[in-house]
Amino acid sequence: MNRQEGQSTSDRPVLEVMNLTMDFGGIRALDGFCLRLRQGEIAALIGPNGAGKTTFFNCLTGMYLPTRGELQLFRPDGATRRLNGLRPDKITEQGLARTFQNIRLFPRMTVLENVMIGRHCRTRAGVLGAILRGPAARREEKDTVRISSRILEKIGLAGQLNEFAGNLPYGAQRRLEIARALATEPLILLLDEPAAGMNPQETRELDELICRLRDEGLTILLIEHDMKLVMSLSDHIFVMDYGRKIAEGTPAEVRRNPEVIKAYLGEEESFGPA
């Protein structure tokens, strides 16, 4: 479901990563990695296990402090924000939201409550306002419920608002994580192996959801090992090996790249049908 030949996303960048390097003692997990995301595209980051993909996400979202390099976010208002050194919550406020390889929901909270937590970075009441429950805090809470419910309707969980998150089927839990990320009003949605553990039907539903989000103008960067999903979804693909970018391009270009075939998959057939 990637864009047809001849169609393209805007050339306006929304994120630029320059010379990103991450050392853990004597181990170099990222080695001068560069990446440029365009507004409104679906991009995939692929590579063998241990290539540095999740390390890159952790640097981008403030969980790790890179050894060196530049992370720049270009906001719709024309402002440029340097992300280096910001706390994870401040990076979320700037417009980056992510999901994780392992589901990180609050299982004994409801579906609605899990999404409402994602709204925290966009609310102003604070702890005191929540305790005193003045008019402004009550209005904000009502808005949070309304916005969270609308997001759940968009991803197909409107009928399960009051279910405990831990009682949902696996695929629905994955979608709920995406809903919580969407509640932060991101400019860029980072998905870390969103299809991991999903059955074919759940994967098809995920494919459709990601494409709908892209069509609404959201920029999406995903790490994924399901090559059929990557090739069907992506407008652009970045390929990593040993912490370095070894190739990038359209799905067709990456599929034909001999270095990618050798370093990542070993054989062209692993990409699935052309």
Side-chain angles (χ1 to χ4, degrees):
M1 298 181 72
N2 49 314
R3 286 181 171 85
Q4 299 298 315
E5 193 72 27
Q7 293 180 306
S8 64
T9 58
S10 166
D11 285 331
R12 186 170 69 86
V14 66
L15 177 75
E16 189 157 16
V17 177
M18 295 167 285
N19 195 35
L20 191 66
T21 300
M22 184 72 227
D23 294 332
F24 297 100
I27 304 297
R28 177 152 290 180
L30 295 174
D31 190 1
F33 185 74
C34 298
L35 175 147
R36 189 174 188 266
L37 285 184
R38 296 173 298 169
Q39 173 65 42
E41 75 176 346
I42 299 174
L45 182 60
I46 67 172
N49 289 328
K53 303 182 297 296
T54 296
T55 297
F56 169 67
F57 267 25
N58 287 340
C59 289
L60 192 56
T61 55
M63 297 182 71
Y64 294 160
L65 181 64
T67 304
R68 62 176 174 270
E70 287 292 318
L71 305 169
Q72 292 188 337
L73 179 71
F74 303 95
R75 295 186 53 82
D77 60 6
T80 300
R81 295 285 185 265
R82 187 174 185 266
L83 302 179
N84 298 64
L86 294 182
R87 300 196 314 260
D89 60 307
K90 295 301 180 182
I91 289 178
T92 301
E93 288 180 12
Q94 289 299 323
L96 272 70
R98 72 174 292 183
T99 63
F100 294 85
Q101 288 182 21
N102 300 315
I103 293 174
R104 297 190 182 184
L105 297 172
F106 297 95
R108 300 308 298 171
M109 296 177 70
T110 68
V111 168
L112 179 61
E113 288 167 343
N114 269 270
V115 180
M116 289 173 65
I117 287 172
R119 292 294 304 164
H120 178 71
C121 69
R122 302 300 173 200
T123 57
R124 298 178 179 273
V127 175
L128 183 60
I131 293 172
L132 297 178
R133 291 188 54 79
R138 291 197 299 272
R139 283 195 302 271
E140 196 168 68
E141 183 177 358
K142 185 178 294 185
D143 286 344
T144 296
V145 171
R146 175 180 55 81
I147 293 169
S148 299
S149 299
R150 190 173 65 213
I151 292 170
L152 287 168
E153 183 175 0
K154 177 187 295 187
I155 68 160
L157 291 176
Q160 295 158 292
L161 295 180
N162 297 315
E163 290 278 348
F164 286 127
N167 293 341
L168 293 179
Y170 180 82
Q173 290 189 29
R174 283 283 185 190
R175 294 205 310 278
L176 179 55
E177 269 210 316
I178 294 174
R180 186 174 59 190
L182 293 175
T184 70
E185 300 179 13
L187 300 174
I188 303 172
L189 178 62
L190 307 171
L191 303 175
D192 196 346
E193 298 192 30
M198 285 188 172
N199 62 41
Q201 176 61 32
E202 291 168 337
T203 301
R204 283 192 296 272
E205 292 172 354
L206 176 69
D207 185 317
E208 293 169 0
L209 172 61
I210 293 174
C211 286
R212 286 202 311 273
L213 295 174
R214 184 269 314 277
D215 292 343
E216 293 173 3
L218 188 61
T219 303
I220 298 167
L221 177 62
L222 66 140
I223 295 171
E224 186 52 64
H225 288 289
D226 185 332
M227 285 298 102
K228 290 183 180 179
L229 183 67
V230 167
M231 292 294 164
S232 70
L233 273 178
S234 304
D235 302 306
H236 200 82
I237 299 174
F238 302 92
V239 189
M240 295 184 74
D241 195 22
Y242 294 106
R244 298 181 178 182
K245 182 176 68 178
I246 62 170
E248 68 172 288
T250 66
E253 291 167 342
V254 167
R255 186 194 301 274
R256 295 192 299 265
N257 188 304
E259 190 174 0
V260 175
I261 295 167
K262 178 182 178 182
Y264 179 40
L265 296 172
E267 56 181 27
E268 191 170 6
E269 287 75 17
S270 298
F271 283 110

